[in-house]
Amino acid sequence: MNYAKFWIRFKEWALTTDEDSNLPYRLRNIVKVIKQNPDITLVKLAGYLDTDAIYLAKYLRANYKSIAENNT
């Protein structure tokens, strides 16, 4: 999966999901930041969280995949 396409899908999911749902703490904070700044990019989010963008993308993709599998 292309990370640019994934980021669009993840951001749409983050904007529509409930923050208080059964999410890990770190992912819940990322969803909160995305809801506060809906136009944020993956690179800006990585800068805000003071982490590497590729590491963050892999982390988000792995968590999103496991959450999507659990919801089906």
Side-chain angles (χ1 to χ4, degrees):
M1 176 185 283
N2 185 346
Y3 282 114
K5 290 179 183 177
F6 164 73
W7 176 246
I8 292 169
R9 185 184 308 168
F10 179 80
K11 197 163 65 166
E12 289 173 358
W13 172 81
L15 290 171
T16 59
T17 193
D18 184 21
E19 288 179 33
D20 298 331
S21 62
N22 217 3
L23 298 176
Y25 176 75
R26 185 172 181 194
L27 191 57
R28 206 172 344 173
N29 287 337
I30 291 171
V31 167
K32 184 188 277 186
V33 170
I34 292 172
K35 284 188 176 192
Q36 292 171 352
N37 305 305
D39 294 331
I40 197 165
T41 64
L42 181 62
V43 174
K44 287 183 182 178
L45 180 63
Y48 179 79
L49 298 172
D50 195 29
T51 188
D52 184 53
I54 294 178
Y55 170 77
L56 179 62
K58 288 179 180 180
Y59 170 80
L60 292 176
R61 185 175 176 194
N63 279 306
Y64 179 73
K65 186 176 179 181
S66 68
I67 289 170
E69 288 175 355
N70 289 337
N71 288 339
T72 56

